Amino acid sequence: MRLSSKIFSLFLPLCLLGTGAVAQQYAPKEKASVLDVPHYEVPEQLFLPEDKGLAELRVFTMEQWTRIRLTNHTLYHYVLAASKFRAYVNYCKRHDLNVDLTPINRLVHMNLTEIITAQWEEPEWAKFVGKEDNTTRDYIRDLAFDVYAFEFAAALADLSTERNELGSTVQQYCLTIAKPYYDEYIGLQATARRQLPVDKR
């Protein structure tokens, strides 16, 4: 009996220590302090007005784009298909695809650059006189982002409208449209691999 008491007296502190360790392991984690988050010094002046000539060119380009949407432009069809697929993977987040949009987005921007600049004539190009090449490239790239965002938002709105008209839940709706978008993804990837330069894939 005495031996049992001695063993128990030795065993009890070990149990208490073990219990404390387990409790500490499964205790709720403290939220990260604001001080733990990397600090970024926000610029005092966030808004910088765009050069008047370039602002006018942006409006001109977007107006031209509304006309391009009515055509059978081959490059535009790829942009439209990519925008619709991008809307699908964002609207229907539960899907079985292992999506890599990088090559698709790159081909979209190459196509958009070609389409946008093909609409410009001498008066439009004259707005870049005196500007560095990198400034011109950055501006055109930014315009392409504008157009791609516009098409993405339009496609996203179309999905939402169609689902509401059908009266389906998001899950039900996404199941019914999954197969065409899976097939579309394969085609978009194949076209990107075929048309992109090797170093841009």
Side-chain angles (χ1 to χ4, degrees), residues 15-17 26 32 36 38 46 54 56 58 68 72 89-90 93 96 102 111 116 120 128 150 152-153 178 180 190:
C15 287
L16 292 174
L17 285 171
Y26 291 99
D36 296 333
L46 286 174
L54 295 182
E56 291 172 349
R58 189 180 297 273
I68 293 168
N72 289 319
V89 295
N90 281 274
K93 292 183 171 59
D96 298 328
T102 301
N111 288 354
I116 288 169
W120 295 351
F128 296 99
F150 168 77
F152 167 69

Side-chain angles (χ1 to χ4, degrees), residues 14 16 55 67 69 76 84 88 105 107 113-114 121 135-136 144 161 182 188 191 198:
L14 292 173
L16 292 174
R67 298 181 179 89
R69 297 180 93 229
Y76 168 67
K84 288 182 176 180
Y88 163 75
N105 288 338
L107 184 56
T113 299
E114 186 172 338
E121 296 182 0
T135 301
T136 303
T161 299
Y182 286 12
L188 289 167
T191 302
V198 176

Side-chain angles (χ1 to χ4, degrees), residues 30-48:
E30 291 185 9
K31 291 184 178 180
S33 168
V34 175
L35 298 176
D36 296 333
V37 179
H39 181 66
Y40 176 71
E41 194 67 39
V42 180
E44 290 184 9
Q45 189 177 4
L46 286 174
F47 172 70
L48 293 174

Side-chain angles (χ1 to χ4, degrees), residues 114-139:
E114 186 172 338
I115 297 170
I116 288 169
T117 55
Q119 310 306 309
W120 295 351
E121 296 182 0
E122 191 172 339
E124 284 74 51
W125 285 108
K127 298 181 186 299
F128 296 99
V129 172
K131 299 187 184 303
E132 295 182 358
D133 288 349
N134 283 339
T135 301
T136 303
R137 277 190 285 266
D138 287 346
Y139 178 81

